[in-house]
Amino acid sequence: MQLSIPPSTDDTSLPPPNPLLQQNKQFVTMSSDSPLGIDKVFLDSCKEVSEALSLRSSHSSTYKLVEPNLDKDKEGVVSDAERLSVFYANAAYDFYGTPSGALCVYKNGDAWPVRTGLESQRIIREARGVHGHPMQVTWFELGKRVYILLDDMNVPWSSIDPLAFAEAGKRRFSKLLIWIGVEPKSLLYELANTAAAAVTNLLTQAGFSDFEVGFRESVVTRSFAGPKMLSFDPLNDSVPELRKPFTPTLGLSIAPFKTPHYEGTGALYLRESKDSNCVFLLTCAHVARPPPVHTNTGPVRKTTSYPREQVIALGSSGYTDALKSMMCTIGDQNRSIKDWQTVLRRLGKPQEDESANITKRRVEHLALVEKAKENISEINKFHNEIVKQWTIPDQRIIGEVVHVEPIGVNVAPHGFTRDWALIKLYNEKFDWTTFKGNKVYIGGNLSSLDYGKIMFPQPEDQADYEYPEDGLLQAFGVVQADEIRNPKQLDTNGEQCLLVIKNGLTTRTTIGRVTGMESFTRTIDEYGIKETSMEIAVLPYGNANGPFSASGDSGSIVLDRNGRILGMLNGRAGSTNRTDVTYLTPYWYIGQEIKKYFPDSFLYDVVV
């Protein structure tokens, strides 16, 4: 069978062939030369993908810690942990457990506990938000004074996050920590010591005493024709997690058509007005128009003579990963079938005098085998449909950029990052009769049981709690600034906490904790100009859960447990490619900005 591919209007815009996608084209028509009724070569490929992905920590139920190397990597080469430990003994211990394995350059105040002895293991710690601290009221101005002071002392800082630390799963043990990120290998111990003393003096003179100052190495980054989008019905879909990437459910992976390797996530759907049938998709400006490719200018396509800047669902990695997920699932199911068949062989054929237990186990395992075969057949069929209709980027075009705000930092009067864009969706690419609107899929890699336990941990929370129907959390309402600073919720330890959730391209469904006090970030553009901005910061929920976000999650909308909108994800900080702190622009601010250009716009209607 041949693929039906619409002609491209611009052949030069197509990316180089992807080997995995080229390989998959041969599987459009499947033969039945394997016991499962699918092509044997394809089944072997599925086994390989399953085995490869099973080795990755991202598919493990337990998050793997970054282990600091305290020894020399090679002869004459000193590791980062050893380099810092020469001056500050607890460099590899203070922040051990953070997703990036952050190393401490220096921390003042009392030394944090460290286990001793040859067999002693490091204490695993988690960052936590701080709410109700006396400094919270004036932190907006104090934070500015802190970073100006650091600038005057030539400290190459990248982020300032006010938070606290706890041992994994326990209550906070530390005081408020002014956690200052610096570019790796840029800050000498002596300057860190002097700068911590200067910051302490500044905050002490302002009337505060219950805090500490710590420096860690960290970098802030800003992450980056055909069929209709598929409907999404977890109740009826046989493989909802595999189908979800090809649907308009929030957490949608998107990328510019001409540069599909720059990928991000769609945030929210908006209507242009009650009299218009135009629907917008909100995302980050750096997702719609990646800075490495485009100049940082304002609204695009002012007249029809300007070329369209089209956007596709699923960029290069997003599409490839979606196919790999299908192949991995087939490989996993095939391996399970073999295991269950081994049990059936041991149970033997049915005997008249066999025990009821043996009979019951045989029936159970036969049912498991049949169900797995059905799943493989369904996934194989779905895979064929996707390869036929979604392989070429032209087939995945869903709209065009209609408005891009120039990316800005420390934008008056609030000092937030300005980084948003609107994509006008092509109506013919969506089945509006099955469209779910602004609902975030919180299922998949997060079970309904875990969601309820984490997001509604207190007995009084559980009284009226119901898991969102089909795992789709409706976004509506906005979390205001006062509640960000002083949330009404308590976490499992009984501490004040604003818990939030998102679904993004890379990390999918994750839960986090809002810090409660604003963070400041510092980036340097290609011209060496320092750019400072204020952000809402989100920490991972806990050590075992992994980072809240990663590269590719930019544009994800972040909601509280009731579906109220907190903000849009725009960046992250960490000492490696793993994220310790995620940064958001609050939606109450973005909403005000959108109204300046589209005064009659509003969030897409609630779909019941």
Side-chain angles (χ1 to χ4, degrees), residues 551-571:
S551 177
D553 287 331
S554 280
S556 301
I557 204 67
V558 178
L559 310 178
D560 76 354
R561 66 185 186 182
N562 297 314
R564 292 182 305 157
I565 305 167
L566 175 63
M568 184 168 68
L569 197 155
N570 66 52

Side-chain angles (χ1 to χ4, degrees), residues 252-265:
L252 171 67
S253 164
I254 58 174
F257 170 61
K258 292 188 176 181
T259 54
H261 48 290
Y262 290 106
E263 305 183 67
T265 304

Side-chain angles (χ1 to χ4, degrees), residues 62-80:
T62 303
Y63 184 73
K64 186 176 180 181
L65 296 178
V66 174
E67 292 289 345
N69 184 2
L70 295 171
D71 303 316
K72 291 188 176 180
D73 300 317
K74 326 179 177 178
E75 188 175 350
V77 179
V78 178
S79 71
D80 289 335

Side-chain angles (χ1 to χ4, degrees), residues 34-90:
S34 77
L36 298 174
I38 66 175
D39 186 273
K40 185 177 184 301
V41 177
F42 179 55
L43 179 59
D44 290 341
S45 297
C46 292
K47 294 176 185 176
E48 292 175 7
V49 171
S50 171
E51 290 168 2
L53 293 183
S54 67
L55 298 176
R56 296 185 184 178
S57 60
S58 60
H59 286 261
S60 171
S61 59
T62 303
Y63 184 73
K64 186 176 180 181
L65 296 178
V66 174
E67 292 289 345
N69 184 2
L70 295 171
D71 303 316
K72 291 188 176 180
D73 300 317
K74 326 179 177 178
E75 188 175 350
V77 179
V78 178
S79 71
D80 289 335
E82 185 181 31
R83 167 177 57 84
L84 295 172
S85 297
V86 170
F87 300 98
Y88 183 71
N90 288 351

Side-chain angles (χ1 to χ4, degrees), residues 5-16 257-258 392 394:
I5 303 173
S8 172
T9 56
D10 182 5
D11 291 339
T12 61
S13 67
L14 294 176
F257 170 61
K258 292 188 176 181
I392 308 303
D394 299 62

Side-chain angles (χ1 to χ4, degrees), residues 19-38:
L20 176 66
L21 306 187
Q22 295 296 318
Q23 179 190 34
N24 277 324
K25 287 181 183 178
Q26 65 181 296
F27 302 129
V28 171
T29 301
M30 295 295 175
S31 61
S32 299
D33 55 358
S34 77
L36 298 174
I38 66 175

Side-chain angles (χ1 to χ4, degrees), residues 271-278 600-602 605:
R271 293 272 304 277
E272 182 180 30
S273 71
K274 62 182 180 62
D275 299 318
S276 170
N277 65 353
C278 179
D600 298 323
S601 65
F602 56 93
D605 314 83

Side-chain angles (χ1 to χ4, degrees), residues 447-479:
S447 71
S448 58
L449 182 62
D450 286 339
Y451 177 79
K453 284 183 177 180
I454 295 172
M455 299 295 277
F456 297 83
Q458 299 299 321
E460 54 270 28
D461 297 334
Q462 294 283 342
D464 299 317
Y465 162 69
E466 289 186 9
Y467 185 69
E469 190 174 284
D470 296 331
L472 294 168
L473 181 60
Q474 175 69 56
F476 72 98
V478 179
V479 180

